[in-house]
Structure formats: structure tokens, C-alpha cells
PDB file of all heavy atoms in Angstrom:
ATOM      1  N   VAL A   1      38.606  86.487 126.507  1.00 95.00           N
ATOM      2  CA  VAL A   1      38.571  87.379 125.347  1.00 95.00           C
ATOM      3  C   VAL A   1      39.928  88.054 125.161  1.00 95.00           C
ATOM      4  O   VAL A   1      40.476  88.104 124.056  1.00 95.00           O
ATOM      5  CB  VAL A   1      37.462  88.444 125.513  1.00 95.00           C
ATOM      6  CG1 VAL A   1      37.554  89.491 124.399  1.00 95.00           C
ATOM      7  CG2 VAL A   1      36.089  87.790 125.513  1.00 95.00           C
ATOM      8  N   VAL A   2      40.495  88.553 126.260  1.00 97.00           N
ATOM      9  CA  VAL A   2      41.774  89.265 126.207  1.00 97.00           C
ATOM     10  C   VAL A   2      42.887  88.339 125.718  1.00 97.00           C
ATOM     11  O   VAL A   2      43.655  88.684 124.806  1.00 97.00           O
ATOM     12  CB  VAL A   2      42.129  89.851 127.581  1.00 97.00           C
ATOM     13  CG1 VAL A   2      43.537  90.456 127.564  1.00 97.00           C
ATOM     14  CG2 VAL A   2      41.103  90.905 127.985  1.00 97.00           C
ATOM     15  N   TYR A   3      42.962  87.153 126.295  1.00 96.00           N
ATOM     16  CA  TYR A   3      44.076  86.275 125.965  1.00 96.00           C
ATOM     17  C   TYR A   3      43.912  85.593 124.609  1.00 96.00           C
ATOM     18  O   TYR A   3      44.897  85.172 124.001  1.00 96.00           O
ATOM     19  CB  TYR A   3      44.295  85.277 127.091  1.00 96.00           C
ATOM     20  CG  TYR A   3      44.681  85.985 128.375  1.00 96.00           C
ATOM     21  CD1 TYR A   3      43.955  85.812 129.550  1.00 96.00           C
ATOM     22  CD2 TYR A   3      45.741  86.897 128.392  1.00 96.00           C
ATOM     23  CE1 TYR A   3      44.292  86.500 130.707  1.00 96.00           C
ATOM     24  CE2 TYR A   3      46.074  87.594 129.541  1.00 96.00           C
ATOM     25  CZ  TYR A   3      45.348  87.390 130.695  1.00 96.00           C
ATOM     26  OH  TYR A   3      45.670  88.093 131.832  1.00 96.00           O
ATOM     27  N   SER A   4      42.672  85.526 124.114  1.00 94.00           N
ATOM     28  CA  SER A   4      42.474  84.988 122.768  1.00 94.00           C
ATOM     29  C   SER A   4      43.020  85.950 121.713  1.00 94.00           C
ATOM     30  O   SER A   4      43.328  85.539 120.584  1.00 94.00           O
ATOM     31  CB  SER A   4      40.984  84.733 122.503  1.00 94.00           C
ATOM     32  OG  SER A   4      40.264  85.958 122.392  1.00 94.00           O
ATOM     33  N   LEU A   5      43.169  87.229 122.095  1.00 94.00           N
ATOM     34  CA  LEU A   5      43.719  88.235 121.182  1.00 94.00           C
ATOM     35  C   LEU A   5      45.220  88.443 121.377  1.00 94.00           C
ATOM     36  O   LEU A   5      45.824  89.251 120.684  1.00 94.00           O
ATOM     37  CB  LEU A   5      42.983  89.571 121.378  1.00 94.00           C
ATOM     38  CG  LEU A   5      41.516  89.590 120.945  1.00 94.00           C
ATOM     39  CD1 LEU A   5      40.858  90.907 121.339  1.00 94.00           C
ATOM     40  CD2 LEU A   5      41.387  89.365 119.446  1.00 94.00           C
ATOM     41  N   GLY A   6      45.790  87.731 122.354  1.00 96.00           N
ATOM     42  CA  GLY A   6      47.231  87.831 122.557  1.00 96.00           C
ATOM     43  C   GLY A   6      47.657  88.559 123.807  1.00 96.00           C
ATOM     44  O   GLY A   6      48.841  88.836 123.995  1.00 96.00           O
ATOM     45  N   GLY A   7      46.707  88.906 124.698  1.00 97.00           N
ATOM     46  CA  GLY A   7      47.062  89.570 125.945  1.00 97.00           C
ATOM     47  C   GLY A   7      46.594  91.014 126.010  1.00 97.00           C
ATOM     48  O   GLY A   7      45.956  91.532 125.081  1.00 97.00           O
ATOM     49  N   LYS A   8      46.918  91.669 127.123  1.00 97.00           N
ATOM     50  CA  LYS A   8      46.422  93.026 127.382  1.00 97.00           C
ATOM     51  C   LYS A   8      46.857  94.017 126.293  1.00 97.00           C
ATOM     52  O   LYS A   8      46.045  94.795 125.789  1.00 97.00           O
ATOM     53  CB  LYS A   8      46.906  93.520 128.747  1.00 97.00           C
ATOM     54  CG  LYS A   8      46.209  92.883 129.925  1.00 97.00           C
ATOM     55  CD  LYS A   8      46.657  93.490 131.250  1.00 97.00           C
ATOM     56  CE  LYS A   8      46.227  94.927 131.378  1.00 97.00           C
ATOM     57  NZ  LYS A   8      46.483  95.468 132.738  1.00 97.00           N
ATOM     58  N   GLU A   9      48.134  94.016 125.959  1.00 97.00           N
ATOM     59  CA  GLU A   9      48.632  94.984 124.991  1.00 97.00           C
ATOM     60  C   GLU A   9      47.963  94.806 123.630  1.00 97.00           C
ATOM     61  O   GLU A   9      47.565  95.785 122.982  1.00 97.00           O
ATOM     62  CB  GLU A   9      50.151  94.867 124.848  1.00 97.00           C
ATOM     63  CG  GLU A   9      50.763  95.937 123.955  1.00 97.00           C
ATOM     64  CD  GLU A   9      52.275  95.872 123.914  1.00 97.00           C
ATOM     65  OE1 GLU A   9      52.868  95.186 124.767  1.00 97.00           O
ATOM     66  OE2 GLU A   9      52.859  96.525 123.022  1.00 97.00           O
ATOM     67  N   ALA A  10      47.820  93.554 123.212  1.00 97.00           N
ATOM     68  CA  ALA A  10      47.176  93.275 121.928  1.00 97.00           C
ATOM     69  C   ALA A  10      45.714  93.705 121.953  1.00 97.00           C
ATOM     70  O   ALA A  10      45.192  94.243 120.966  1.00 97.00           O
ATOM     71  CB  ALA A  10      47.294  91.793 121.590  1.00 97.00           C
ATOM     72  N   PHE A  11      45.065  93.477 123.067  1.00 97.00           N
ATOM     73  CA  PHE A  11      43.662  93.893 123.196  1.00 97.00           C
ATOM     74  C   PHE A  11      43.546  95.413 123.084  1.00 97.00           C
ATOM     75  O   PHE A  11      42.714  95.936 122.338  1.00 97.00           O
ATOM     76  CB  PHE A  11      43.092  93.418 124.536  1.00 97.00           C
ATOM     77  CG  PHE A  11      41.627  93.737 124.726  1.00 97.00           C
ATOM     78  CD1 PHE A  11      40.654  92.815 124.366  1.00 97.00           C
ATOM     79  CD2 PHE A  11      41.217  94.949 125.271  1.00 97.00           C
ATOM     80  CE1 PHE A  11      39.303  93.102 124.539  1.00 97.00           C
ATOM     81  CE2 PHE A  11      39.881  95.250 125.443  1.00 97.00           C
ATOM     82  CZ  PHE A  11      38.920  94.309 125.069  1.00 97.00           C
ATOM     83  N   CYS A  12      44.378  96.120 123.829  1.00 97.00           N
ATOM     84  CA  CYS A  12      44.318  97.583 123.831  1.00 97.00           C
ATOM     85  C   CYS A  12      44.651  98.176 122.462  1.00 97.00           C
ATOM     86  O   CYS A  12      44.229  99.292 122.143  1.00 97.00           O
ATOM     87  CB  CYS A  12      45.273  98.155 124.873  1.00 97.00           C
ATOM     88  SG  CYS A  12      44.769  97.833 126.588  1.00 97.00           S
ATOM     89  N   ASN A  13      45.400  97.438 121.654  1.00 96.00           N
ATOM     90  CA  ASN A  13      45.804  97.928 120.339  1.00 96.00           C
ATOM     91  C   ASN A  13      44.818  97.584 119.231  1.00 96.00           C
ATOM     92  O   ASN A  13      45.104  97.832 118.051  1.00 96.00           O
ATOM     93  CB  ASN A  13      47.189  97.379 119.974  1.00 96.00           C
ATOM     94  CG  ASN A  13      48.298  98.049 120.772  1.00 96.00           C
ATOM     95  OD1 ASN A  13      48.167  99.205 121.171  1.00 96.00           O
ATOM     96  ND2 ASN A  13      49.374  97.330 121.015  1.00 96.00           N
ATOM     97  N   GLN A  14      43.665  97.046 119.592  1.00 95.00           N
ATOM     98  CA  GLN A  14      42.659  96.751 118.577  1.00 95.00           C
ATOM     99  C   GLN A  14      42.227  98.052 117.882  1.00 95.00           C
ATOM    100  O   GLN A  14      41.955  99.057 118.548  1.00 95.00           O
ATOM    101  CB  GLN A  14      41.440  96.079 119.209  1.00 95.00           C
ATOM    102  CG  GLN A  14      41.687  94.667 119.717  1.00 95.00           C
ATOM    103  CD  GLN A  14      42.100  93.719 118.618  1.00 95.00           C
ATOM    104  OE1 GLN A  14      41.376  93.525 117.641  1.00 95.00           O
ATOM    105  NE2 GLN A  14      43.279  93.127 118.764  1.00 95.00           N
ATOM    106  N   PRO A  15      42.175  98.072 116.554  1.00 94.00           N
ATOM    107  CA  PRO A  15      41.822  99.293 115.815  1.00 94.00           C
ATOM    108  C   PRO A  15      40.511  99.929 116.249  1.00 94.00           C
ATOM    109  O   PRO A  15      40.366 101.158 116.224  1.00 94.00           O
ATOM    110  CB  PRO A  15      41.757  98.808 114.357  1.00 94.00           C
ATOM    111  CG  PRO A  15      42.672  97.635 114.317  1.00 94.00           C
ATOM    112  CD  PRO A  15      42.519  96.962 115.645  1.00 94.00           C
ATOM    113  N   THR A  16      39.552  99.099 116.672  1.00 93.00           N
ATOM    114  CA  THR A  16      38.249  99.642 117.065  1.00 93.00           C
ATOM    115  C   THR A  16      38.312 100.444 118.360  1.00 93.00           C
ATOM    116  O   THR A  16      37.369 101.147 118.703  1.00 93.00           O
ATOM    117  CB  THR A  16      37.218  98.507 117.243  1.00 93.00           C
ATOM    118  OG1 THR A  16      37.792  97.468 118.036  1.00 93.00           O
ATOM    119  CG2 THR A  16      36.785  97.945 115.916  1.00 93.00           C
ATOM    120  N   LEU A  17      39.452 100.363 119.078  1.00 95.00           N
ATOM    121  CA  LEU A  17      39.612 101.104 120.331  1.00 95.00           C
ATOM    122  C   LEU A  17      40.495 102.338 120.172  1.00 95.00           C
ATOM    123  O   LEU A  17      40.805 103.012 121.164  1.00 95.00           O
ATOM    124  CB  LEU A  17      40.213 100.189 121.409  1.00 95.00           C
ATOM    125  CG  LEU A  17      39.362  98.986 121.831  1.00 95.00           C
ATOM    126  CD1 LEU A  17      40.156  98.081 122.768  1.00 95.00           C
ATOM    127  CD2 LEU A  17      38.069  99.426 122.495  1.00 95.00           C
ATOM    128  N   ARG A  18      40.866 102.653 118.945  1.00 93.00           N
ATOM    129  CA  ARG A  18      41.876 103.698 118.699  1.00 93.00           C
ATOM    130  C   ARG A  18      41.441 105.084 119.193  1.00 93.00           C
ATOM    131  O   ARG A  18      42.293 105.944 119.448  1.00 93.00           O
ATOM    132  CB  ARG A  18      42.216 103.767 117.210  1.00 93.00           C
ATOM    133  CG  ARG A  18      41.075 104.223 116.325  1.00 93.00           C
ATOM    134  CD  ARG A  18      41.415 104.118 114.842  1.00 93.00           C
ATOM    135  NE  ARG A  18      40.332 104.581 113.990  1.00 93.00           N
ATOM    136  CZ  ARG A  18      39.259 103.867 113.678  1.00 93.00           C
ATOM    137  NH1 ARG A  18      39.145 102.637 114.161  1.00 93.00           N
ATOM    138  NH2 ARG A  18      38.325 104.364 112.898  1.00 93.00           N
ATOM    139  N   LEU A  19      40.134 105.317 119.319  1.00 93.00           N
ATOM    140  CA  LEU A  19      39.662 106.639 119.731  1.00 93.00           C
ATOM    141  C   LEU A  19      39.588 106.797 121.254  1.00 93.00           C
ATOM    142  O   LEU A  19      39.294 107.889 121.744  1.00 93.00           O
ATOM    143  CB  LEU A  19      38.276 106.918 119.130  1.00 93.00           C
ATOM    144  CG  LEU A  19      38.196 106.941 117.605  1.00 93.00           C
ATOM    145  CD1 LEU A  19      36.755 107.180 117.154  1.00 93.00           C
ATOM    146  CD2 LEU A  19      39.117 108.017 117.027  1.00 93.00           C
ATOM    147  N   LEU A  20      39.849 105.728 121.982  1.00 95.00           N
ATOM    148  CA  LEU A  20      39.698 105.751 123.434  1.00 95.00           C
ATOM    149  C   LEU A  20      41.037 105.940 124.145  1.00 95.00           C
ATOM    150  O   LEU A  20      41.962 105.160 123.963  1.00 95.00           O
ATOM    151  CB  LEU A  20      39.037 104.462 123.931  1.00 95.00           C
ATOM    152  CG  LEU A  20      37.650 104.146 123.346  1.00 95.00           C
ATOM    153  CD1 LEU A  20      37.085 102.900 123.991  1.00 95.00           C
ATOM    154  CD2 LEU A  20      36.703 105.320 123.513  1.00 95.00           C
ATOM    155  N   THR A  21      41.102 106.969 124.958  1.00 96.00           N
ATOM    156  CA  THR A  21      42.322 107.239 125.730  1.00 96.00           C
ATOM    157  C   THR A  21      42.640 106.073 126.669  1.00 96.00           C
ATOM    158  O   THR A  21      43.806 105.732 126.872  1.00 96.00           O
ATOM    159  CB  THR A  21      42.168 108.532 126.534  1.00 96.00           C
ATOM    160  OG1 THR A  21      41.875 109.606 125.637  1.00 96.00           O
ATOM    161  CG2 THR A  21      43.422 108.853 127.320  1.00 96.00           C
ATOM    162  N   ALA A  22      41.607 105.470 127.224  1.00 97.00           N
ATOM    163  CA  ALA A  22      41.811 104.339 128.141  1.00 97.00           C
ATOM    164  C   ALA A  22      42.528 103.193 127.436  1.00 97.00           C
ATOM    165  O   ALA A  22      43.356 102.496 128.041  1.00 97.00           O
ATOM    166  CB  ALA A  22      40.478 103.859 128.695  1.00 97.00           C
ATOM    167  N   ALA A  23      42.244 102.991 126.152  1.00 97.00           N
ATOM    168  CA  ALA A  23      42.920 101.945 125.386  1.00 97.00           C
ATOM    169  C   ALA A  23      44.347 102.364 125.063  1.00 97.00           C
ATOM    170  O   ALA A  23      45.273 101.547 125.151  1.00 97.00           O
ATOM    171  CB  ALA A  23      42.146 101.657 124.106  1.00 97.00           C
ATOM    172  N   LYS A  24      44.552 103.622 124.705  1.00 97.00           N
ATOM    173  CA  LYS A  24      45.899 104.103 124.384  1.00 97.00           C
ATOM    174  C   LYS A  24      46.829 103.941 125.578  1.00 97.00           C
ATOM    175  O   LYS A  24      48.013 103.631 125.434  1.00 97.00           O
ATOM    176  CB  LYS A  24      45.847 105.566 123.951  1.00 97.00           C
ATOM    177  CG  LYS A  24      45.143 105.788 122.620  1.00 97.00           C
ATOM    178  CD  LYS A  24      45.039 107.274 122.293  1.00 97.00           C
ATOM    179  CE  LYS A  24      44.270 107.510 120.991  1.00 97.00           C
ATOM    180  NZ  LYS A  24      44.101 108.956 120.708  1.00 97.00           N
ATOM    181  N   GLN A  25      46.309 104.159 126.778  1.00 98.00           N
ATOM    182  CA  GLN A  25      47.102 104.017 127.995  1.00 98.00           C
ATOM    183  C   GLN A  25      46.939 102.626 128.610  1.00 98.00           C
ATOM    184  O   GLN A  25      47.495 102.345 129.673  1.00 98.00           O
ATOM    185  CB  GLN A  25      46.692 105.096 128.998  1.00 98.00           C
ATOM    186  CG  GLN A  25      46.935 106.507 128.485  1.00 98.00           C
ATOM    187  CD  GLN A  25      46.480 107.583 129.462  1.00 98.00           C
ATOM    188  OE1 GLN A  25      45.990 107.283 130.551  1.00 98.00           O
ATOM    189  NE2 GLN A  25      46.657 108.850 129.086  1.00 98.00           N
ATOM    190  N   CYS A  26      46.180 101.793 127.924  1.00 98.00           N
ATOM    191  CA  CYS A  26      45.899 100.407 128.336  1.00 98.00           C
ATOM    192  C   CYS A  26      45.422 100.320 129.788  1.00 98.00           C
ATOM    193  O   CYS A  26      45.913  99.485 130.574  1.00 98.00           O
ATOM    194  CB  CYS A  26      47.106  99.502 128.109  1.00 98.00           C
ATOM    195  SG  CYS A  26      46.609  97.775 127.720  1.00 98.00           S
ATOM    196  N   ARG A  27      44.466 101.162 130.108  1.00 98.00           N
ATOM    197  CA  ARG A  27      43.813 101.065 131.416  1.00 98.00           C
ATOM    198  C   ARG A  27      42.723  99.998 131.291  1.00 98.00           C
ATOM    199  O   ARG A  27      41.557 100.295 131.050  1.00 98.00           O
ATOM    200  CB  ARG A  27      43.240 102.423 131.831  1.00 98.00           C
ATOM    201  CG  ARG A  27      44.294 103.493 132.038  1.00 98.00           C
ATOM    202  CD  ARG A  27      43.758 104.694 132.826  1.00 98.00           C
ATOM    203  NE  ARG A  27      42.667 105.372 132.145  1.00 98.00           N
ATOM    204  CZ  ARG A  27      42.807 106.403 131.314  1.00 98.00           C
ATOM    205  NH1 ARG A  27      44.015 106.885 131.064  1.00 98.00           N
ATOM    206  NH2 ARG A  27      41.761 106.956 130.727  1.00 98.00           N
ATOM    207  N   LEU A  28      43.151  98.768 131.433  1.00 98.00           N
ATOM    208  CA  LEU A  28      42.289  97.607 131.196  1.00 98.00           C
ATOM    209  C   LEU A  28      42.330  96.669 132.392  1.00 98.00           C
ATOM    210  O   LEU A  28      43.396  96.208 132.796  1.00 98.00           O
ATOM    211  CB  LEU A  28      42.753  96.857 129.939  1.00 98.00           C
ATOM    212  CG  LEU A  28      42.084  95.509 129.655  1.00 98.00           C
ATOM    213  CD1 LEU A  28      40.606  95.684 129.333  1.00 98.00           C
ATOM    214  CD2 LEU A  28      42.805  94.791 128.507  1.00 98.00           C
ATOM    215  N   LEU A  29      41.169  96.394 132.937  1.00 98.00           N
ATOM    216  CA  LEU A  29      41.040  95.404 134.002  1.00 98.00           C
ATOM    217  C   LEU A  29      40.596  94.089 133.374  1.00 98.00           C
ATOM    218  O   LEU A  29      39.524  94.004 132.782  1.00 98.00           O
ATOM    219  CB  LEU A  29      40.011  95.859 135.042  1.00 98.00           C
ATOM    220  CG  LEU A  29      39.636  94.831 136.119  1.00 98.00           C
ATOM    221  CD1 LEU A  29      40.861  94.422 136.945  1.00 98.00           C
ATOM    222  CD2 LEU A  29      38.530  95.370 137.015  1.00 98.00           C
ATOM    223  N   VAL A  30      41.436  93.077 133.487  1.00 98.00           N
ATOM    224  CA  VAL A  30      41.113  91.749 132.964  1.00 98.00           C
ATOM    225  C   VAL A  30      40.501  90.936 134.101  1.00 98.00           C
ATOM    226  O   VAL A  30      41.139  90.706 135.122  1.00 98.00           O
ATOM    227  CB  VAL A  30      42.367  91.042 132.419  1.00 98.00           C
ATOM    228  CG1 VAL A  30      41.995  89.679 131.847  1.00 98.00           C
ATOM    229  CG2 VAL A  30      43.048  91.900 131.363  1.00 98.00           C
ATOM    230  N   MET A  31      39.257  90.501 133.917  1.00 97.00           N
ATOM    231  CA  MET A  31      38.562  89.790 134.981  1.00 97.00           C
ATOM    232  C   MET A  31      38.337  88.329 134.633  1.00 97.00           C
ATOM    233  O   MET A  31      38.205  87.964 133.453  1.00 97.00           O
ATOM    234  CB  MET A  31      37.201  90.454 135.260  1.00 97.00           C
ATOM    235  CG  MET A  31      37.294  91.856 135.828  1.00 97.00           C
ATOM    236  SD  MET A  31      35.708  92.441 136.497  1.00 97.00           S
ATOM    237  CE  MET A  31      35.564  91.403 137.968  1.00 97.00           C
ATOM    238  N   ASP A  32      38.322  87.509 135.646  1.00 93.00           N
ATOM    239  CA  ASP A  32      37.956  86.107 135.506  1.00 93.00           C
ATOM    240  C   ASP A  32      36.657  86.029 134.706  1.00 93.00           C
ATOM    241  O   ASP A  32      35.679  86.711 135.008  1.00 93.00           O
ATOM    242  CB  ASP A  32      37.779  85.506 136.903  1.00 93.00           C
ATOM    243  CG  ASP A  32      37.268  84.088 136.873  1.00 93.00           C
ATOM    244  OD1 ASP A  32      36.059  83.903 136.666  1.00 93.00           O
ATOM    245  OD2 ASP A  32      38.066  83.163 137.077  1.00 93.00           O
ATOM    246  N   SER A  33      36.631  85.196 133.674  1.00 93.00           N
ATOM    247  CA  SER A  33      35.485  85.154 132.763  1.00 93.00           C
ATOM    248  C   SER A  33      34.192  84.776 133.468  1.00 93.00           C
ATOM    249  O   SER A  33      33.151  85.418 133.270  1.00 93.00           O
ATOM    250  CB  SER A  33      35.769  84.185 131.616  1.00 93.00           C
ATOM    251  OG  SER A  33      36.844  84.638 130.829  1.00 93.00           O
ATOM    252  N   LEU A  34      34.213  83.733 134.281  1.00 90.00           N
ATOM    253  CA  LEU A  34      33.002  83.311 134.973  1.00 90.00           C
ATOM    254  C   LEU A  34      32.564  84.360 135.980  1.00 90.00           C
ATOM    255  O   LEU A  34      31.372  84.644 136.135  1.00 90.00           O
ATOM    256  CB  LEU A  34      33.221  81.966 135.665  1.00 90.00           C
ATOM    257  CG  LEU A  34      32.017  81.392 136.419  1.00 90.00           C
ATOM    258  CD1 LEU A  34      30.817  81.247 135.492  1.00 90.00           C
ATOM    259  CD2 LEU A  34      32.361  80.043 137.045  1.00 90.00           C
ATOM    260  N   LEU A  35      33.519  84.973 136.641  1.00 92.00           N
ATOM    261  CA  LEU A  35      33.222  85.972 137.667  1.00 92.00           C
ATOM    262  C   LEU A  35      32.554  87.199 137.069  1.00 92.00           C
ATOM    263  O   LEU A  35      31.714  87.830 137.719  1.00 92.00           O
ATOM    264  CB  LEU A  35      34.529  86.382 138.362  1.00 92.00           C
ATOM    265  CG  LEU A  35      34.434  87.111 139.696  1.00 92.00           C
ATOM    266  CD1 LEU A  35      33.696  86.281 140.725  1.00 92.00           C
ATOM    267  CD2 LEU A  35      35.836  87.433 140.200  1.00 92.00           C
ATOM    268  N   SER A  36      32.908  87.550 135.847  1.00 93.00           N
ATOM    269  CA  SER A  36      32.383  88.777 135.243  1.00 93.00           C
ATOM    270  C   SER A  36      31.196  88.551 134.318  1.00 93.00           C
ATOM    271  O   SER A  36      30.468  89.493 134.004  1.00 93.00           O
ATOM    272  CB  SER A  36      33.493  89.483 134.453  1.00 93.00           C
ATOM    273  OG  SER A  36      34.039  88.640 133.460  1.00 93.00           O
ATOM    274  N   LEU A  37      30.988  87.316 133.889  1.00 92.00           N
ATOM    275  CA  LEU A  37      29.894  87.040 132.956  1.00 92.00           C
ATOM    276  C   LEU A  37      28.753  86.240 133.568  1.00 92.00           C
ATOM    277  O   LEU A  37      27.630  86.281 133.067  1.00 92.00           O
ATOM    278  CB  LEU A  37      30.432  86.287 131.733  1.00 92.00           C
ATOM    279  CG  LEU A  37      31.369  87.079 130.820  1.00 92.00           C
ATOM    280  CD1 LEU A  37      31.979  86.166 129.765  1.00 92.00           C
ATOM    281  CD2 LEU A  37      30.644  88.236 130.163  1.00 92.00           C
TER     282      LEU A  37
END
């Protein structure tokens, strides 16, 4: 999901995340898709 949007920074900059401090500071853990789903 993250890399389909262009990577961590692009993911964190999604407009729907604009209200979240965690997104503004890009506190994002990217997990192996199979491992997390």
C-alpha cells in the first residue's frame, strides 16, 4: 500500500491524514504485507 503511493513520505502526505500528528511527523511503520495481513 505504501509503495503503491510512492513511498513513506507520499503516504504520510495523503490529504486524508492531514489532521494526524503522526502523519505530519511521518511516524509510520511499514510492514511486510503478508506478515501484517
Side-chain angles (χ1 to χ4, degrees):
V1 172
V2 174
Y3 297 124
S4 70
L5 292 173
K8 286 184 67 172
E9 186 175 346
F11 183 93
C12 291
N13 287 331
Q14 291 299 301
T16 48
L17 296 173
R18 66 187 181 280
L19 299 178
L20 302 184
T21 302
K24 292 176 183 177
Q25 299 178 1
C26 211
R27 296 196 298 268
L28 172 66
L29 172 61
V30 182
M31 294 193 71
D32 174 282
S33 296
L34 181 57
L35 196 59
S36 57
L37 292 172

